[in-house]
Amino acid sequence: MLLDAGTIQVGSEQLEVSWFLLLAAALFVLGAIGVLIRRNPLVMLICIELMLNAVNLTLVAFARQLNNREGQLFALMTMTVAAAEAVVGLAILVDIFRVRDLEDVDDLSELKG
Amino acid sequence: MQALALAILLFPAAGAVFLGVFNWRGSRLLTAFVGPGVVWAAFVCVLILLAGGVNQDFTYWTWIRSGSFSVPFDILIDHLSLFMCLVITGVGGLIVTYAVGYMEHETDGSYARFFCYMDVFVLSMLILVLAGNTIFLIVGWAGVGLSSYLLIGFYYWRRSAVVAARKAFVMNVIGDVGMILGAFVLFVSYKQVVYGPLFGALPKSDGGAVELAAFLLLVGGIAKSAQLPLHTWLPDAMEGPTPVSALIHAATMVTAGVYLVARFHVLYDAATYAHAAVAVIGAVTALFAASIALVQTDIKRVLAYSTMSQIGYMFLAVGIGAYSAGLFHLLSHAFFKALLFMAAGNVIHALHDDQDMRHYGGLWNDMRRSSVTFLVGSLSLAGIIPFVGFFSKENVLGEAFSRGDALGYSVWLIGFLTAVLTGFYTGRMWWISFWRPAAPERPVAGHLHEAPAVMLIPVAILAVLTTIGGALQVKAVGGWALVDDFLRPVLGEEHITAVALEYVATLLTLVLAALAFAAAYNFWIRGSWNVDAWRARLAGAARVLEHKYYFDELYDRAFVRPLDRLARLADREDRSVIDTGVVDVGTYTERSASSLSLTQTGFLRSYVLVFVAGAVIAAGLVLWRAQG
Amino acid sequence: MGPATLVFWIASLFALGGGLGVVLFKQAIRNVLSLVVVMLSLAVLFLLLSAQFVFAVQVIVYAGAVMVLFLFVITLLGPVREQSTMRLPWQVFISAVVIAGFAGFLVAMLRGVTYRTPDAADPLFGTVQAIGAGLFTDYLFPFELTSILLLVAAVGAIYLSRGPR
């Protein structure tokens, strides 16, 4: 209806794929806003995770619509990478917090000029 | 034979390379052997070629090839080039050997440097006389100019030496330009560079480009031989060590102009005006230089001006067509001038580098050997029998007199006056330096020592040659002319025959020159004539002579100062316009870089913003492309 | 409205609510918990889309492991409050503009896409067998690379968190 993406059969109903896509888009945009506006580094990482999740939803929705498995596999890869990235990012954060009492990511501005 | 001819060049070249590259700080003994040794080796090669009667143009390879233009690397062995080679390697060998002793006070590095430069000079001069084509000649011509510069400025820590070297080089370059232009004119007009074909292609009389080419080549000769008006560098060149003055500025390099006219005699026979100009310039320079020599106080300067004057004689000779006479005088001058310089060097060496004659005196008693040799040289210079100087000078003047035309008589007259003047100033030089009682400034006899053997023997050899050399060419009634005969295959028949009046003229010249020599004693030593009164009367003339006719001042005003101003202007412009332009590029780059670096804010969030904005733009591009 | 649609709307509501919570909450722990809500909602949506394996992995790995890691770090670091003073005053405004544009583009792109005809219907869609078959045959190389990536991340995390010697 909205995006002309077709429908899928769930049980006995037809669901619009476009709804899933729009939801994913909305979550992605929310995540983007969060990364840009929030100043707590931890929260920024979380917002990035949100964006990744939104992308996963899009991938799986398309996979279902087109009946192929690449989308799901890609979503699995994305999850793996997101996990790895979250681990390393958190480790760096912990390292920084060990040295200084960081509350605002804007404090990390030594690499300027 | 072909290899031998090349060996003449290779020996000094190898010596120069060895001394310059390998022996810079090396063994003094090795330098003392290699330096003169290679010159003597070349001399031996010349002797062998002479004995073998070789007469050929040897081509080794094609040096330049451009389309149809090709210049060979060739060595011309004929009697003229062998004659010059004998002088260069023989007299040169003696001088370089002498220098082994003279330069002993130098440091090891300077010692090697000196002999390296001398070998470079010998090589260049040999190239000059052995070249078989005009382009190769130019190579040698430029090479001797360079060697002269290097050797005049040998004591480079002395400002006066450096300035003199530069002056010599600049004037030589002026001559070089004339030379090169002359070679170009010849090539453009007659399409030849190799001597044989070139001389064959020249017209037999005036016409075409012969006058122009002859004049242009003459400019080169004038500069190299220090004739008017490009003469001012020669007296200053005395800043170089005495062996340099002996070799380059007496025996060889300055005679290059004479060789040039002789080699190109086919050209000059055709170009009558240029030919006459050679004679006139030679004669005038001879008189001019002799007059200046009269007031010089530095012994080397006297010898320098006398060189200038004697070369004037040589130019006079070749200018009237008496090529062999000119070359005989070249040979004889090489003998006695090198002798004079080296004997003077012995004196200078003993007197701790004092060259002012007013500080000399009494050397006849205290330095007998040097005095005797110097006397031999002086008498030869003055043209006194039986020394070789008499025979060669009379040869020249006799040829001029016997020509019988206006040019002949006028140059003879100038030559005659010069001969008398030569006797006068030579006598002055001898009496003041050697005969009178010692000057108070001179070191006492006990502190003087005669030169070592290595410096005395070459001088002695040259003294002997000066004494017996006259036997080469005695053109009196029923006499013989060995030099003429030797050079005839190259220079053609001398077309002047002696007239009876010539003998009278010769006798007159001899007597007056001898009287002048003796008169100088009365004038300066005995004081029979009041020197001071004369000086007061001729004060104006004396001043002109002392300032060398104000030539240096003239050139300074006319050329040096305007060029200096131009150079300063260029430097200022370079610094203000060009340098700032270049510097500005750097400054602007720096400034724009620092303004660009402001984007590195250090704030993570602005980076993310830029990141996202970039993604947005990319998305927009994709969309736009997809639609379009 | 059938049951599927109802499930979809409820899950979407929770997801959006969680998303807003992630962006808006000031206390970090509430952020994390909001994200957990989002992940669980998305898991439900995955299930709705018949992607059973992805649903399971989402719950076990993402919500179960990664989020727990976040919680550990938060408790380790203690309560963190954001300051009110801003260093980049223009950030919000420009971000709003950029995001608006971004959203617009997203929608436009999704509208403009031409979809290809779907593949043949697969009764094994989303099952473990299908995923497994894909991972170990056609997509073995990416699978192995991902394992290496995890190894690198683990080593990196250990090294980084060792602290000063």
Side-chain angles (χ1 to χ4, degrees):
Chain A
M1 175 202 7
L2 275 166
L3 292 177
D4 202 15
T7 56
I8 49 173
Q9 177 100 19
V10 182
S12 54
E13 298 169 40
Q14 297 281 50
L15 284 180
E16 289 275 347
V17 173
S18 55
W19 294 343
F20 290 91
L21 299 176
L22 283 172
L23 172 64
L27 284 175
F28 189 85
V29 169
L30 272 179
I33 293 175
V35 169
L36 289 170
I37 295 201
R38 296 300 295 263
R39 283 178 289 137
N40 187 340
L42 206 63
V43 173
M44 287 171 85
L45 274 175
I46 290 171
C47 294
I48 291 172
E49 296 294 330
L50 184 57
M51 288 162 82
L52 285 165
N53 272 286
V55 169
N56 277 349
L57 182 60
T58 314
L59 281 168
V60 174
F62 273 127
R64 177 68 169 88
Q65 201 255 333
L66 295 172
N67 271 323
N68 73 352
R69 62 184 180 200
E70 273 81 16
Q72 300 169 73
L73 287 167
F74 199 178
L76 285 175
M77 301 293 170
T78 313
M79 265 183 236
T80 320
V81 172
E85 163 250 324
V87 158
V88 176
L90 286 171
I92 293 176
L93 256 183
V94 167
D95 236 357
I96 295 178
F97 267 83
R98 226 180 279 218
V99 178
R100 46 183 6 188
D101 211 6
L102 188 67
E103 288 182 359
D104 188 339
V105 81
D106 289 345
D107 284 338
L108 289 171
S109 60
E110 270 91 23
L111 283 177
K112 64 164 160 269
Chain B
M1 281 306 156
Q2 183 155 357
L4 212 58
L6 190 59
I8 302 180
L9 290 181
L10 286 180
F11 273 117
V17 167
F18 174 75
L19 288 171
V21 174
F22 299 107
N23 205 29
W24 202 248
R25 254 163 250 303
S27 144
R28 192 169 271 257
L29 198 61
L30 204 55
T31 307
F33 267 106
V34 171
V38 291
V39 182
W40 288 119
F43 181 65
V44 168
C45 294
V46 175
L47 286 179
I48 297 176
L49 284 169
L50 191 60
V54 180
N55 201 328
Q56 198 180 327
D57 185 359
F58 295 105
T59 306
Y60 294 92
W61 70 80
T62 308
W63 175 33
I64 299 174
R65 187 194 292 283
S66 170
S68 57
F69 174 67
S70 80
V71 177
F73 181 106
D74 65 334
I75 292 180
L76 175 62
I77 303 286
D78 64 4
H79 280 184
L80 176 59
S81 60
L82 281 178
F83 180 82
M84 294 298 296
C85 284
L86 280 174
V87 175
I88 298 167
T89 53
V91 178
L94 287 170
I95 297 174
V96 180
T97 310
Y98 168 88
V100 167
Y102 190 83
M103 303 297 287
E104 64 171 359
H105 292 313
E106 300 296 321
T107 62
D108 280 354
S110 274
Y111 199 64
R113 182 165 64 101
F114 178 80
F115 285 99
C116 171
Y117 289 166
M118 289 293 251
D119 284 340
V120 169
F121 170 76
V122 172
L123 170 70
S124 308
M125 192 71 204
L126 286 170
I127 290 177
L128 201 160
V129 301
L130 286 172
N133 61 74
T134 51
I135 309 299
F136 207 26
L137 170 72
I138 294 171
V139 171
W141 199 268
V144 296
L146 172 70
S147 324
S148 174
Y149 167 80
L150 289 172
L151 284 163
I152 295 175
F154 184 72
Y155 298 122
Y156 55 81
W157 48 87
R158 271 215 289 247
R159 189 194 151 79
S160 53
V162 171
V163 167
R166 191 178 58 191
K167 183 173 179 180
F169 194 70
V170 169
M171 295 197 115
N172 261 271
V173 168
I174 296 174
D176 286 355
V177 170
M179 260 276 297
I180 294 173
L181 286 176
F184 285 173
V185 167
L186 284 174
F187 177 70
V188 166
S189 307
Y190 302 107
K191 305 286 181 285
Q192 302 293 336
V193 288
V194 181
Y195 287 158
L198 175 60
F199 296 150
L202 287 174
K204 292 291 172 282
S205 56
D206 244 329
V210 287
E211 287 287 348
L212 180 63
F215 265 111
L216 286 171
L217 289 176
L218 181 60
V219 170
I222 289 175
K224 198 66 79 180
S225 299
Q227 300 294 289
L228 276 169
L230 294 173
H231 64 283
T232 53
W233 64 272
L234 187 60
D236 290 4
M238 297 297 118
E239 289 283 340
T242 306
V244 171
S245 309
L247 180 60
I248 300 185
H249 306 127
T252 42
M253 184 181 102
V254 290
T255 56
V258 182
Y259 165 76
L260 183 71
V261 177
R263 174 61 77 191
F264 282 81
H265 68 93
V266 178
L267 177 68
Y268 283 97
D269 283 340
T272 39
Y273 292 108
H275 206 189
V278 174
V280 170
I281 289 173
V284 171
T285 307
L287 189 57
F288 168 84
S291 63
I292 299 180
L294 210 48
V295 298
Q296 294 300 314
T297 53
D298 179 342
I299 194 171
K300 281 177 68 173
R301 299 267 158 136
V302 176
L303 293 174
Y305 282 107
S306 87
T307 302
M308 206 189 288
S309 174
Q310 296 304 307
I311 295 175
Y313 272 109
M314 298 178 218
F315 264 61
L316 196 162
V318 296
I320 57 171
Y323 302 104
S324 305
L327 286 166
F328 181 39
H329 196 55
L330 190 156
L331 177 69
S332 107
H333 177 260
F335 286 160
F336 64 74
K337 194 46 68 63
L339 166 64
L340 281 169
F341 266 110
M342 295 207 291
N346 285 339
V347 171
I348 294 170
H349 203 232
L351 291 177
H352 308 300
D353 296 329
D354 187 352
Q355 292 173 206
D356 191 333
M357 292 190 296
R358 296 171 295 188
H359 300 166
Y360 290 1
L363 295 171
W364 178 257
N365 298 314
D366 301 322
M367 286 183 77
R368 180 61 58 94
R369 274 171 277 189
S370 295
S371 306
V372 168
T373 47
F374 200 89
L375 183 59
V376 168
S378 305
L379 290 176
S380 184
L381 171 60
I384 310 295
I385 233 178
F387 300 103
V388 67
F390 165 73
F391 290 100
S392 64
K393 197 182 292 190
E394 289 321 307
N395 198 2
V396 171
L397 288 177
E399 301 284 349
F401 193 82
S402 303
R403 252 177 89 102
D405 62 353
L407 179 67
Y409 284 129
S410 31
V411 296
W412 174 85
L413 184 62
I414 299 177
F416 168 73
L417 289 171
T418 309
V420 179
L421 207 51
T422 305
F424 202 39
Y425 76 72
T426 309
R428 168 182 177 263
M429 174 173 66
W430 161 260
W431 300 119
I432 291 182
S433 307
F434 292 87
W435 192 259
R436 69 180 167 115
E441 296 91 350
R442 213 205 73 181
V444 294
H447 292 180
L448 275 182
H449 53 90
E450 192 55 275
V454 73
M455 286 164 71
L456 275 181
I457 293 180
V459 173
I461 295 176
L462 281 173
V464 169
L465 284 171
T466 308
T467 314
I468 63 169
L472 279 174
Q473 187 137 314
V474 181
K475 277 187 155 172
V477 181
W480 60 91
L482 291 177
V483 177
D484 281 4
D485 292 337
F486 184 68
L487 292 172
R488 189 163 302 124
V490 182
L491 295 175
E493 190 63 52
E494 300 265 291
H495 49 275
I496 305 169
T497 48
V499 297
L501 206 51
E502 183 189 325
Y503 296 113
V504 176
T506 304
L507 199 59
L508 191 63
T509 318
L510 173 63
V511 166
L512 283 178
L515 279 178
F517 194 94
Y521 178 74
N522 277 321
F523 204 74
W524 270 285
I525 308 299
R526 192 94 87 65
S528 321
W529 303 340
N530 199 334
V531 178
D532 293 319
W534 275 98
R535 182 168 284 268
R537 242 177 281 168
L538 296 173
R543 215 182 7 254
V544 170
L545 286 180
E546 273 160 27
H547 283 132
K548 303 157 274 174
Y549 292 83
Y550 294 105
F551 261 95
D552 277 318
E553 287 76 1
L554 171 68
Y555 287 162
D556 187 52
R557 285 274 167 79
F559 299 111
V560 177
R561 284 209 209 143
L563 277 176
D564 188 53
R565 261 205 298 272
L566 187 63
R568 276 183 216 282
L569 176 70
D571 176 50
R572 256 205 318 275
E573 284 309 302
D574 176 49
R575 245 180 285 152
S576 66
V577 174
I578 299 175
D579 275 356
T580 32
V582 170
V583 167
D584 276 349
V585 170
T587 314
Y588 288 144
T589 311
E590 227 181 71
R591 258 188 250 153
S592 53
S594 50
S595 30
L596 276 178
S597 72
L598 287 172
T599 55
Q600 304 296 308
T601 59
F603 292 120
L604 189 65
R605 293 201 292 147
S606 34
Y607 295 163
V608 176
L609 182 56
V610 171
F611 202 85
V612 174
V616 170
I617 293 170
L621 275 171
V622 169
L623 202 61
W624 184 46
R625 284 310 211 75
Q627 279 180 351
Chain C
M1 184 173 310
T5 319
L6 189 63
V7 167
F8 173 79
W9 283 114
I10 296 174
S12 310
L13 228 60
F14 271 100
L16 279 172
L20 281 169
V22 163
V23 178
L24 294 175
F25 277 127
K26 293 286 182 227
Q27 288 174 305
I29 195 145
R30 294 191 187 176
N31 279 313
V32 175
L33 291 173
S34 309
L35 188 60
V36 174
V37 167
V38 169
M39 287 187 178
L40 291 174
S41 322
L42 284 186
V44 168
L45 286 171
F46 286 148
L47 199 57
L48 203 58
L49 288 168
S50 311
Q52 310 151 11
F53 188 68
V54 181
F55 152 79
V57 170
Q58 171 92 344
V59 172
I60 298 171
V61 171
Y62 230 150
V66 178
M67 284 300 109
V68 171
L69 176 65
F70 269 99
L71 280 169
F72 268 130
V73 172
I74 289 195
T75 46
L76 176 71
L77 299 180
V80 179
R81 274 197 192 282
E82 273 181 36
Q83 292 166 314
S84 47
T85 52
M86 279 258 253
R87 301 282 181 85
L88 298 169
W90 296 104
Q91 179 87 350
V92 176
F93 175 68
I94 301 177
S95 308
V97 170
V98 169
I99 294 300
F102 201 31
F105 280 138
L106 267 180
V107 172
M109 283 206 301
L110 287 172
R111 279 180 89 96
V113 177
T114 340
Y115 299 94
R116 63 179 176 90
T117 50
D119 294 342
D122 186 7
L124 285 177
F125 177 84
T127 56
V128 180
Q129 295 97 300
I131 303 290
L135 269 184
F136 291 105
T137 53
D138 293 328
Y139 298 98
L140 183 61
F141 191 50
F143 175 68
E144 297 297 340
L145 283 180
T146 318
S147 341
I148 295 175
L149 177 72
L150 285 173
L151 177 66
V152 169
V155 169
I158 292 172
Y159 175 77
L160 281 170
S161 57
R162 266 223 273 156
R165 221 68 68 78

